[in-house]
Amino acid sequence: MGSACIKVTKYFLFLFNLLFFILGAVILGFGVWILADRSSFIFVLQNSSSSLNVGAYVFIGVGAVTMLMGFLGCVGAVNEVRCLLGLYFAFLLLILITQVAAGVLFYFNMDKVKQEMGNIVIKLIQNYKDDQEDRLQEGWDYVQAQGKCCGWISFYNWTENAELMNRTNVTYPCSCEKKRDDDSHVVRKGFCEAPDANGTESINSPEDWPVYHEGCMEKVQMWLQDNLGIILGVCVGVAVIELLGMLLSICLCRHVHSEDYSKVPKY
């Protein structure tokens, strides 16, 4: 291979690794977002499911390692250090195998994740308390208000809340209340009494609640699929760059015949 081709390969590898470094930062950012989000359904799952927290830390770990590999690849490519190029190739191969294994594992556990998600929400609705400052309850109130839905399967899920059903007036979850498009976007919390309740009711009938009847299950699953689609898209992009980086690194490594460690920057 001529010196011109080696130079082109070297700088292509540098550009790929720069992009690889940026995508690693994006993956790390997804992990941080899962842990830091306080205003969506992710917060509900995060506080109820240990598997989501584990997944977030995995994203952070993979993102950090990916950024490190991008840095090593850039240094190895520019300075033509065979040791770094070989190490870079080995770690890329390991990361790629891990990503494929994680994707297969996640795909075959999707039904389990959906079932766990439903159980988490049903338990949250059953234990929901009025006038209680709770971040988990606030997270679910946000989901219902923004999604314009009520309960998980339907608004009847709220009939499993003993505190709500023991009310003698027409009382319903505030975040489920039907709103006009021009209404305030402030999320209401707790339980509300119907404005036309006259105090003569002896049963809190859900048919009298001015709430959305559609459950949040489909909307939440659609929201998760949209966000997972973005994550998977980034992961596929990283995998393609990994393969190209592996090919370029092994190609460059084969044609670097001598080590010159004086080129490696000292820190």
Side-chain angles (χ1 to χ4, degrees):
M1 184 183 290
S3 59
C5 289
I6 293 176
K7 186 173 291 187
V8 170
T9 302
K10 181 172 68 174
Y11 287 108
F12 261 116
L13 184 59
F14 175 83
L15 290 175
F16 275 121
N17 280 287
L18 183 60
L19 185 57
F20 192 53
F21 181 89
I22 295 171
L23 287 175
V26 172
I27 293 176
L28 188 146
F30 274 123
V32 173
W33 167 65
I34 290 172
L35 292 177
D37 193 294
R38 291 293 182 273
S39 61
S40 71
F41 188 69
I42 285 291
F43 182 71
V44 177
L45 287 180
Q46 181 198 130
N47 283 268
S48 306
S49 174
S50 59
S51 59
L52 188 70
N53 285 326
V54 171
Y57 288 116
V58 168
F59 272 121
I60 291 173
V62 169
V65 172
T66 301
M67 291 175 70
L68 177 61
M69 290 304 99
F71 174 75
L72 288 178
C74 285
V75 174
V78 171
N79 296 286
E80 299 181 15
V81 180
R82 293 188 70 184
C83 178
L84 286 181
L85 289 172
L87 185 66
Y88 171 75
F89 176 85
F91 271 103
L92 273 188
L93 182 61
L94 182 62
I95 292 174
L96 187 61
I97 292 172
T98 303
Q99 284 177 340
V100 171
V104 171
L105 187 64
F106 180 79
Y107 177 80
F108 285 106
N109 282 276
M110 274 296 292
D111 291 337
K112 183 180 178 182
V113 171
K114 289 179 180 178
Q115 183 179 0
E116 182 184 21
M117 187 165 54
N119 293 336
I120 289 169
V121 175
I122 294 297
K123 184 178 179 181
L124 171 62
I125 290 173
Q126 291 172 344
N127 298 324
Y128 191 100
K129 302 294 183 184
D130 192 18
D131 297 326
Q132 176 176 305
E133 292 294 329
D134 183 90
R135 298 290 295 176
L136 194 58
Q137 291 186 180
E138 290 175 9
W140 183 242
D141 285 330
Y142 178 87
V143 171
Q144 292 189 136
Q146 296 299 314
K148 296 183 178 180
C149 53
C150 191
W152 184 241
I153 305 297
S154 74
F155 73 107
Y156 281 109
N157 288 130
W158 280 99
T159 61
E160 299 178 35
N161 184 287
E163 181 182 346
L164 177 62
M165 298 313 296
N166 285 335
R167 300 290 180 95
T168 55
N169 294 330
V170 177
T171 308
Y172 56 92
C174 299
S175 57
C176 288
E177 185 177 0
K178 289 183 179 179
K179 295 180 180 179
R180 298 187 303 271
D181 292 337
D182 57 345
D183 283 347
S184 171
H185 292 289
V186 175
V187 177
R188 301 176 66 191
K189 298 176 287 187
F191 298 143
C192 295
E193 288 191 5
D196 56 349
N198 53 23
T200 60
E201 296 283 347
S202 59
I203 298 177
N204 184 19
S205 174
E207 282 76 16
D208 297 327
W209 296 351
V211 299
Y212 298 104
H213 289 187
E214 181 185 1
C216 298
M217 181 177 68
E218 290 185 2
K219 292 187 176 182
V220 166
Q221 290 179 352
M222 188 180 301
W223 178 86
L224 285 174
Q225 285 177 355
D226 290 342
N227 284 275
L228 285 174
I230 296 172
I231 295 172
L232 289 175
V234 171
C235 290
V236 169
V238 170
V240 171
I241 293 172
E242 284 170 351
L243 287 171
L244 291 172
M246 289 167 64
L247 290 172
L248 289 172
S249 65
I250 201 68
C251 183
L252 184 60
C253 190
R254 285 178 57 199
H255 291 87
V256 175
H257 300 293
S258 61
E259 300 282 10
D260 185 2
Y261 290 103
S262 63
K263 293 182 180 180
V264 180
K266 305 293 191 298
Y267 296 103

